[in-house]
Amino acid sequence: MWVQVVLIIIQLIAMALSVLLAPKPKAPEAQALENVPQADPSRFVPVLFGKRTFKSANIVWYGDRSTRPHKVSQGKK
């Protein structure tokens, strides 16, 4: 009986050490705006049909580049 208790304590100590010594992941950084394709008013906006690839697109809208925290509210009953 006491052997099992000692083994459980050793396992708990090993688990605590592994959590404390594990490398901490770095937070991802926001993408820089200089890497985003820019819109050029002198070029046309391509319209593609089917499977096509083009090297340089004239981007009209790239999306919302700001970051906001995600807040979740639980429903009340």
Side-chain angles (χ1 to χ4, degrees):
M1 174 74 177
W2 64 272
V3 175
Q4 292 172 343
V5 172
V6 170
L7 289 176
I8 290 174
I9 292 173
I10 291 173
Q11 285 179 336
L12 290 174
I13 291 172
M15 189 182 345
L17 282 176
S18 67
V19 168
L20 291 175
L21 297 177
K24 307 297 185 261
K26 294 181 180 179
E29 296 180 6
Q31 185 181 11
L33 286 177
E34 62 229 15
N35 297 335
V36 177
Q38 300 295 321
D40 185 10
S42 64
R43 293 177 55 201
F44 64 93
V45 178
V47 178
L48 300 178
F49 298 100
K51 292 185 177 183
R52 299 286 310 246
T53 332
F54 52 95
K55 299 292 182 201
S56 65
N58 189 14
I59 303 298
V60 178
W61 184 76
Y62 196 71
D64 190 8
R65 307 275 307 151
S66 63
T67 58
R68 292 178 293 277
H70 180 70
K71 297 180 182 178
V72 178
S73 61
Q74 301 292 328
K76 297 181 181 180
K77 293 184 179 181

